[in-house]
Amino acid sequence: MTAWKAEIQVTYKKSVLDPQGVAVEKALSALGYENVDKVRIGKYMELVLHAESEEKARMQVEEMCQRLLTNPVIEDYEYRLQAVSLERGTG
Amino acid sequence: MTAWKAEIQVTYKKSVLDPQGVAVEKALSALGYENVDKVRIGKYMELVLHAESEEKARMQVEEMCQRLLTNPVIEDYEYRLQAVSLERGTG
């Protein structure tokens, strides 16, 4: 079993209004950062999962995103996966 | 002026308890994903900024993270920066 670290970025779909992003953009502008736009705020999740192959790890990450981690109706997600070496007591 | 897209991942420092991560890990386990651990939940932000050089863009992202986007006392951040081509009406 290899351990895989998944880094998942969740954002609202482009068509969904992101009021938090608008607020942060205004706050940045008020602080003098007027060269900033297109601010979007989302969620970031990282986790480690134990799977036999990268393909199985990917399938599971997709499934978890669809079932629990994101709301596919209004959110998009992207993830990166990398093998990590971990010491595990029991497994 | 080049446009730079910054993707910023904000997480609690390792030493800070992440109750949301614990809750998600339990929920995943209840759904049958028992091979998952080390779940951490954070924030993800993306923005576009206009700067003359990558170095200036990096300096500004760091400064914005320190001043507004993160709480450096309890949070860590990482970011990726890439040049993007955008059509701008005026600038």
Side-chain angles (χ1 to χ4, degrees), chain A residues 16-82:
Chain A
V16 176
L17 190 70
D18 175 10
Q20 209 184 344
V22 174
V24 168
E25 192 168 320
K26 278 186 192 160
L28 285 169
S29 175
L31 284 172
Y33 303 111
E34 283 161 11
N35 58 341
V36 176
D37 53 26
K38 298 195 183 359
V39 180
R40 305 282 288 177
I41 309 285
K43 281 176 289 185
Y44 168 72
M45 308 175 203
E46 58 181 43
L47 53 85
V48 172
L49 66 91
H50 305 273
E52 282 159 26
S53 66
E54 181 169 344
E55 199 193 338
K56 285 194 181 170
R58 279 190 189 280
M59 274 176 56
Q60 185 177 334
V61 171
E62 298 267 354
E63 202 182 275
M64 293 188 304
C65 283
Q66 294 283 337
R67 288 183 68 191
L68 180 77
L69 301 177
T70 75
N71 178 348
V73 178
I74 56 166
E75 291 173 336
D76 284 328
Y77 61 90
E78 263 181 47
Y79 63 91
R80 295 179 179 86
L81 200 66
Q82 65 188 92

Side-chain angles (χ1 to χ4, degrees), chain A residues 35, chain B residues 1-4 49-53 56 84 86 88 91:
Chain A
N35 58 341
Chain B
M1 286 287 228
T2 311
W4 304 88
L49 67 89
H50 304 273
E52 282 160 26
S53 67
K56 285 194 180 169
V84 288
L86 291 178
R88 303 191 76 201

